[in-house]
Amino acid sequence: MKHWIMGAVAAAGLAVAPISAMAETIRVTLQLPETHSLGQNWNEFASIIGEKSGGALEVQLFPSAQLFKDKEVPGAVGSGAVEAGSAFIGRFAGSVPAVDVVSIPFIFSNEAHIRAAVAPGSALRQTIDEAILKETNNRVLWWQAYGRNIYLNNGSAITVPADLEGKKVRTYGKVHGWTVQALGGAPTLMSGSKQFLAYQQGAVDVGMTGSSGVKSRKLYEVMDHMTLTFDSAIEFVAVINNDFYEALSDEHKAIIDEAAREVEQKLRDQIYKEEAETIEEMKAHMTVVELSDEQRGEWVAATASVVDRFVEETGDTGKAAVDAVKAADAQ
């Protein structure tokens, strides 16, 4: 795997050096543009560790999938082909199925619940981060908030679960597919970049995405309605090769860990603020539907089977993750 990935990078004309030769340089692979909030998040991290280390630690960001696609990040970072990167947390589901706990519909009651559940040091983070490290050699530095899931469609706006009956729905993960099936729809796994054309051509009837994607990908030009189900959290993780990390001095490890905690909190605050602002902005382009408490209750009831399916398929680690999320709501 490692040799194949190294070869792919070399074939692309990008210099590749062994980790040992670049012990103080952290190359970061990112699928999104540097101008995206996740790219800015990495640049802020770079600024902090560069300053605190007196320039001894350096970050080189390779945005827009110059090095690796999102699905390749776990293998690339884990093998040491690149020191660090960001990926949608669901990309680790092949090795750690429990990571998809954040995609279980309505497992989070609100934004405050999400914040408590995914906070550094929380029971959920210990369960997920330790499993990712053990199974993939990726050390999680911090979680990168991306927002919450919403639905898009044309025709009559989606308000109740029955509105998805018999509809083809764009999804971006296994558990999202289970959710659609529980609602009587037909899930279609599709990358974010293919959404615009798929909606424009009617390849799918309904879309799942985050509100930031509606704006950045101009999905409001091909979809009339946005329904704010906020049924699941969309999370990325910033990861570093564990062998590289362990080879650093204790001082540099401490600098990295402290910077990670700082930029994680700032990004989460920023993302939820931007989410609210984007939704207000989209009201000028499309119908925005906010669920009433009664309607939300219908959605919760209709998708209740998904959590049982998740626990059955993910075993003890999945159950521990679910329990940790539920316990955080009581804090």
Side-chain angles (χ1 to χ4, degrees):
M1 168 71 83
K2 178 176 179 178
H3 296 299
W4 178 89
I5 293 173
M6 289 286 199
V9 176
L14 296 163
V16 179
I19 281 180
S20 59
M22 304 178 66
E24 304 298 338
T25 300
I26 305 171
R27 294 168 302 164
V28 179
T29 179
L30 179 68
Q31 67 158 340
L32 297 157
E34 189 168 358
T35 54
H36 189 276
S37 56
L38 268 61
Q40 294 172 1
N41 192 226
W42 269 108
N43 282 331
E44 185 169 8
F45 172 80
S47 178
I48 294 171
I49 67 171
E51 179 180 350
K52 291 188 175 181
S53 69
L57 290 172
E58 178 187 8
V59 169
Q60 294 180 353
L61 185 64
F62 293 86
S64 303
Q66 292 179 47
L67 295 185
F68 302 101
K69 296 178 182 178
D70 189 49
K71 65 182 180 180
E72 297 171 334
V73 173
V77 174
S79 68
V82 68
E83 287 75 47
S86 284
F88 171 55
I89 196 169
R91 298 306 181 209
F92 291 87
S95 301
V96 187
V99 300
D100 270 339
V101 67
V102 298
S103 300
I104 295 175
F106 304 102
I107 194 169
F108 299 110
S109 56
N110 50 38
E111 179 187 325
H113 185 191
I114 296 174
R115 286 178 178 271
V118 306
S122 68
L124 177 64
R125 285 290 292 272
Q126 290 179 14
T127 297
I128 297 299
D129 293 3
E130 289 175 7
I132 288 176
L133 175 59
K134 178 181 178 181
E135 298 298 331
T136 72
N137 202 39
N138 283 249
R139 174 179 289 271
V140 176
L141 293 177
W142 74 94
W143 285 33
Q144 295 180 301
Y146 195 84
R148 293 172 289 180
N149 188 66
I150 53 93
Y151 286 81
L152 302 173
N153 80 304
N154 289 319
S156 299
I158 293 171
T159 57
V160 295
D163 292 333
L164 270 73
E165 184 76 34
K167 301 291 178 61
K168 291 183 179 179
V169 184
R170 178 262 170 170
T171 64
Y172 50 94
K174 179 188 288 187
V175 175
H176 296 113
W178 296 350
T179 299
V180 171
Q181 290 172 345
L183 295 169
T188 301
L189 191 64
M190 181 185 299
S191 66
S193 61
K194 295 182 179 180
Q195 286 183 91
F196 188 96
L197 192 59
Y199 300 153
Q200 185 180 53
Q201 296 181 343
V204 292
D205 306 303
V206 178
M208 276 186 169
T209 190
S211 60
S212 64
V214 179
K215 179 180 179 180
S216 64
R217 300 184 189 279
K218 298 184 178 181
L219 302 181
Y220 56 84
E221 294 183 357
V222 290
M223 286 297 208
D224 295 334
H225 311 292
M226 176 166 62
T227 302
L228 308 180
T229 51
F230 291 156
D231 51 299
S232 61
I234 307 173
E235 299 285 331
F236 279 63
V237 284
V239 293
I240 191 168
N241 175 273
N242 190 56
D243 299 326
F244 173 85
Y245 176 88
E246 293 294 351
L248 295 172
S249 68
D250 289 343
E251 178 187 0
H252 285 174
K253 289 178 186 176
I255 289 173
I256 286 173
D257 293 346
E258 183 179 346
R261 288 191 294 271
E262 182 176 339
V263 298
E264 175 169 355
Q265 183 61 47
K266 286 186 176 180
L267 178 62
R268 192 162 297 279
D269 292 342
Q270 173 190 342
I271 287 297
Y272 288 125
K273 180 175 180 289
E274 290 180 352
E275 183 178 68
E277 292 173 347
T278 297
I279 288 168
E280 283 301 311
E281 185 178 344
M282 290 302 100
K283 289 180 179 179
H285 301 282
M286 60 200 311
T287 302
V288 176
V289 178
E290 298 185 51
L291 300 180
S292 65
D293 290 343
E294 182 179 354
Q295 289 171 333
R296 185 179 178 84
E298 290 185 48
W299 285 81
V300 172
T303 57
S305 63
V306 177
V307 68
D308 294 329
R309 184 173 180 179
F310 178 82
V311 171
E312 182 179 346
E313 293 214 9
T314 59
D316 292 341
T317 304
K319 185 179 185 305
V322 169
D323 290 344
V325 170
K326 292 182 176 179
D329 196 23
Q331 295 176 358

